[in-house]
Amino acid sequence: QVASALLRDWLRQQPRGAQLGAMSGERHTFETPEIARTKASELAKQWDNLGFQIRPLNGYMKYTWTAGRWDDGVFVPAPYVLLHINSGALHYGISCFEGLKAFACKDGMVRLFNPAANAARMQEGARRLRIPEVPTDMFVKGVTEAVRRNAEFVPPYGHSASMYVRPLLFASGPMLGLAPLAEEFTFLVTVTPAGGYFSKSADEEGLEALVMEEYDRAAPRGTGRVKAAGNYAADMEPLHIAKAKGFGTTLYLDAKEQRYIEEFSVCNFVGVTEDGKYVTPHTESILASTTNRMLQQLARDAGMTVEHRPVDFDAEIASFKEIGMVGTAAVVVRVKSITRKDKVYTTTSFDTLSRLRATLQGIQCGELPDRHGWLVEVCPAVSSSKL
């Protein structure tokens, strides 16, 4: 009822339609499809089995950039956006996004996990795609407000789930050609309650990966190091080919030599050597996972040697006793084998990465001290008795 009232109020504030030509003054009204909203009470028995999927909630935060500045933002109680058919995002892929999480902590407060790191990474993507940057304070305010207005959907403390937050930045104004740039850009923040990116069996047993010999994830000096939306399209066909062969994910080597490890499908590669070193690849075409950065810090805190460097697949892959896929949605998932052509490389353990994951998750939910100041308070958690 509250969401429906918000939607009615919002609709009353909108112009009767979208203007299609300043000379004629013609307007058309667009209706949204019917919205079947999620009810928090319906999720009460699903908190540990949410999967990773979109659920329509109360709404999202929207900011618009025009005339050289960002507006103050508005909460939109419908999962739709009115977009020009010639928008730069639709035609030229001028779009980047982020992923972060909010948690209901042990002390009864909801907190975001390190949003400033995501703000900085989105700013890097914006510079690469010639999109106006979202200032850090506006980014943090936007993600905080999106979580606060959907607080009843934050999974309660003690469950293996969180509120997944998806900020999206794109050219919403029309463009015909790459110059001049659009005159309008949009920054959205959507949220959804979610479990792990992969299935529970994958988390417990590990995944089998296939090295993609005939596909490249990103070109040298391309957009691979930023979270451009179009980067993920390169993995669509290879991933489905790998899954059809029975593999859980893909692994890419560098496009130039097919020698150095780059990334798994949607995750960074992390390996632990026999002598206990934390190794993760470095190239100019790899997106730096915020989760990987924090795990590196936790590894250093635990006294481990951390190496961020090129990793030669053939020369080094057999030296890793543990291999993990690292990302915000996945956290850390074991990779139990990697297949390249007719060779299969298996791992023997996941103990070190599992301990680092447990430490990270302990900080996220307030069970362990936040020594690095990663948590940002949002609001009190909604009691399950009030759902």
Side-chain angles (χ1 to χ4, degrees):
Q1 291 178 344
V2 173
S4 297
L6 283 170
L7 180 57
R8 287 195 299 271
D9 291 343
W10 177 74
L11 288 172
R12 281 196 292 266
Q13 297 170 22
Q14 306 308 305
R16 288 190 59 81
Q19 187 167 335
L20 301 180
M23 294 298 292
S24 67
E26 182 182 351
R27 290 177 180 271
H28 289 263
T29 298
F30 295 86
E31 294 184 359
T32 70
E34 190 171 295
I35 303 167
R37 295 187 187 279
T38 303
K39 295 180 180 178
S41 59
E42 297 172 348
L43 300 178
K45 296 181 180 180
Q46 301 180 48
W47 293 126
D48 290 314
N49 296 285
L50 290 172
F52 196 75
Q53 60 183 281
I54 295 167
R55 290 179 167 89
L57 307 184
N58 296 334
Y60 66 92
M61 287 299 298
K62 177 186 177 184
Y63 297 81
T64 304
W65 185 94
T66 55
R69 62 178 296 274
W70 288 104
D71 66 12
D72 293 331
V74 62
F75 184 74
V76 182
Y80 297 98
V81 61
L82 184 62
L83 194 62
H84 196 287
I85 60 172
N86 294 107
S87 72
L90 289 178
H91 289 257
Y92 304 112
I94 304 175
S95 174
C96 60
F97 66 93
E98 280 298 320
L100 63 156
K101 289 179 176 179
F103 298 86
C105 295
K106 186 177 181 180
D107 65 356
M109 296 301 295
V110 173
R111 293 181 176 89
L112 283 157
F113 195 56
N114 205 3
N118 294 93
R121 192 170 65 174
M122 177 169 270
Q123 288 159 5
E124 183 179 358
R127 290 190 292 271
R128 182 64 176 82
L129 299 177
R130 293 299 180 101
I131 300 174
E133 293 181 33
V134 175
T136 300
D137 57 349
M138 175 180 146
F139 182 98
V140 175
K141 180 181 178 181
V143 296
T144 298
E145 191 66 6
V147 173
R148 187 185 69 81
R149 287 177 175 261
N150 292 280
E152 67 267 38
F153 298 103
V154 178
Y157 168 74
H159 295 276
S160 56
S162 61
M163 174 72 84
Y164 183 74
V165 185
R166 171 60 63 83
L168 174 65
L169 177 63
F170 61 95
S172 48
M175 291 177 63
L176 192 60
L178 298 184
L181 297 171
E183 296 182 357
E184 179 189 283
F185 293 84
T186 299
F187 173 58
L188 309 178
V189 185
T190 67
V191 298
T192 190
Y197 186 84
F198 296 98
S199 66
K200 282 192 174 182
S201 61
D203 285 344
E204 296 167 1
E205 301 171 13
L207 290 171
E208 297 177 329
L210 175 65
V211 176
M212 304 311 296
E213 300 280 357
E214 298 180 1
Y215 294 88
D216 295 320
R217 177 194 159 272
R221 297 177 289 188
T223 60
R225 65 175 298 156
V226 299
K227 204 169 178 68
N231 289 350
Y232 293 80
D235 186 47
M236 290 296 291
E237 183 177 40
L239 179 62
H240 285 270
I241 289 173
K243 285 184 175 292
K245 293 180 178 180
F247 294 92
T249 191
T250 52
L251 177 64
Y252 292 92
L253 306 183
D254 72 288
K256 184 178 181 180
E257 298 183 71
Q258 286 286 291
R259 176 181 175 182
Y260 296 100
I261 294 173
E262 291 218 325
E263 284 194 315
F264 290 108
S265 169
V266 294
C267 295
N268 279 186
F269 174 104
V270 170
V272 176
T273 61
E274 292 290 347
D275 58 355
K277 295 177 181 176
Y278 183 110
V279 180
T280 192
H282 172 74
T283 78
E284 292 302 311
S285 52
I286 289 178
L287 177 71
S289 161
T290 56
T291 303
N292 192 358
R293 289 174 177 172
M294 288 180 278
L295 284 172
Q296 290 175 53
Q297 182 60 60
L298 295 178
R300 293 188 188 98
D301 293 347
M304 295 178 65
T305 297
V306 175
E307 296 182 350
H308 187 204
R309 58 171 176 78
V311 179
D312 188 313
F313 183 91
D314 288 336
E316 299 187 66
I317 194 65
S319 70
F320 296 113
K321 65 177 180 179
E322 300 179 35
I323 295 176
M325 300 173 59
V326 174
T328 297
V331 190
V332 189
V333 174
R334 180 183 179 182
V335 177
K336 63 182 179 181
S337 72
I338 297 176
T339 298
R340 186 178 188 187
K341 295 180 178 178
D342 59 347
K343 291 186 177 180
V344 180
Y345 304 88
T346 59
T347 58
T348 59
S349 174
F350 195 60
D351 293 344
T352 305
L353 291 177
S354 179
R355 285 196 300 271
L356 290 173
R357 179 178 63 187
T359 300
L360 184 75
Q361 292 175 326
I363 296 169
Q364 289 173 330
C365 64
E367 295 175 346
L368 295 175
D370 177 23
R371 302 186 187 280
H372 299 285
W374 289 331
L375 292 168
V376 174
E377 193 168 289
V378 176
C379 64
V382 176
S383 172
S384 57
S385 63
K386 296 181 180 179
L387 299 180

